[in-house]
Amino acid sequence: MKLLRVGAPGAEKPAILDAGGRARDLSGVVDDIAGAALTPEGLARIAAVDPASLPELPAGRIGPCVGQVGKFLCIGLNYADHAAESGLAVPEEPVMFAKATSAICGPDDEVKIPRGATKTDWEVELGVVIGKPGAYIPEEEAMAHVAGYCVVNDISERAFQIERGGQWTKGKSADTFGPIGPWLVTADEVPDPQALSMWLEVDGRRYQDGSTATMVFGVRHLVHYVSQFMSLHPGDIITTGTPPGVGMGQSPQVWLQGGEVMRLGIEGLGIQTQKVGHA
């Protein structure tokens, strides 16, 4: 299934794509694409409904594909070639940090460079959405906890991230720095999350062109690993790192200035398009 949320910010309706690619209103089935709706039982309830029997929603803004996200967790340096372009060693264990959930926005919403920023960058990433809750999840059971997958643009202000002291979170959490969607594609439609092509363009120039096959730590291990440090709940998102081609890795380095258009996608998970503005 391809699940999405359609409508103005804060007033999105839950929806499912039908066979013709039309958004059908799930409001009579679930309150939101969030929480209990993402558990195995919640997804089974949605799957039992014929999309053609649901009202068609008028075309409009696509919101973040998951509502009420509790945790927005990130894995850094999870592609060996990206670590190399960053001048950093491949980590022995996954590098974890967080983005503020207030950074989350729709896949085609304007991305706003924060005040005082000088080195704003892009990162196409595979997002893993948790469905079944758990803690201390055995690696062999980890995939049963995944509701599905989505495209994430892990936008970063490198000066805040690297040059301002402390952890990475301050460079990752500005409003609009977390576009997710357009769809939450359920796990049954993604048989191998480690075999997905992914790409990102800025003003038509392709900077990133990679594959989840080159992850250092795969989805199965990451869900297991993260659950050793905190419980995971339905609607939590783990975004899993980016392939090479970020602005920081260019020679000379390239930063978003405002006015650009970013376009990015992952095989089977849809495409995002964002104009870059200023806060």
Side-chain angles (χ1 to χ4, degrees):
M1 297 182 292
K2 292 181 174 67
L3 306 177
L4 66 161
R5 301 167 72 247
V6 179
E12 295 94 347
K13 289 187 174 183
I16 185 171
L17 286 191
D18 66 16
R22 295 174 291 266
R24 300 283 187 156
D25 190 351
L26 278 172
S27 298
V29 183
V30 294
D31 293 333
D32 199 356
I33 307 300
L38 296 171
T39 63
E41 299 77 15
L43 292 176
R45 183 180 177 192
I46 296 172
V49 177
D50 178 6
S53 70
L54 301 172
E56 184 176 346
L57 287 170
R61 170 185 177 267
I62 297 177
C65 60
V66 180
Q68 306 169 48
V69 175
K71 294 191 284 293
F72 196 0
L73 305 169
C74 308
I75 306 299
L77 304 174
N78 197 31
Y79 288 71
D81 32 14
H82 171 58
E85 74 171 352
S86 302
L88 297 169
V90 174
E92 295 184 7
E93 292 191 33
V95 173
M96 289 173 54
F97 61 97
K99 290 175 85 80
T101 55
S102 53
I104 292 172
C105 65
D108 302 326
D109 289 348
E110 182 181 47
V111 165
K112 296 182 179 180
I113 296 174
R115 297 175 187 178
T118 57
K119 297 180 179 179
T120 304
D121 204 349
W122 55 82
E123 297 187 15
V124 59
E125 304 201 4
L126 174 67
V128 178
V129 180
I130 298 300
K132 180 181 177 181
Y136 305 108
I137 299 168
E139 189 159 349
E140 63 271 17
E141 299 175 13
M143 300 308 282
H145 291 260
V146 176
Y149 304 91
C150 64
V151 181
V152 177
N153 192 353
D154 177 21
I155 301 161
S156 310
E157 169 46 42
R158 303 296 188 189
F160 295 177
Q161 176 189 355
I162 298 168
E163 301 168 16
R164 298 285 296 273
Q167 303 299 315
W168 289 1
T169 301
K170 69 177 72 171
K172 299 283 190 170
S173 294
D175 292 353
T176 75
F177 269 26
I180 61 172
W183 315 314
L184 165 61
V185 180
T186 51
D188 59 295
E189 292 195 6
V190 185
D192 186 359
Q194 306 306 147
L196 303 175
S197 60
M198 56 203 307
W199 55 272
L200 181 144
E201 299 172 350
V202 180
D203 288 342
R205 175 178 171 182
R206 184 158 294 200
Y207 282 94
Q208 294 189 274
D209 201 349
S211 169
T212 58
T214 64
M215 280 186 190
V216 178
F217 304 104
V219 170
R220 182 185 302 274
H221 182 72
L222 291 175
V223 172
H224 155 74
Y225 184 85
V226 172
S227 77
Q228 307 307 303
F229 304 98
M230 63 194 77
S231 59
L232 294 173
H233 300 123
D236 287 348
I237 297 174
I238 303 172
T239 189
T240 56
T242 197
V246 300
M248 183 173 64
Q250 305 302 307
S251 183
Q253 293 176 326
V254 177
W255 311 116
L256 297 168
Q257 304 296 322
E260 301 94 343
V261 174
M262 291 183 285
R263 195 165 179 267
L264 58 147
I266 298 177
E267 180 182 353
L269 304 185
I271 293 172
Q272 300 184 353
T273 304
Q274 298 122 16
K275 185 173 181 180
V276 181
H278 292 271

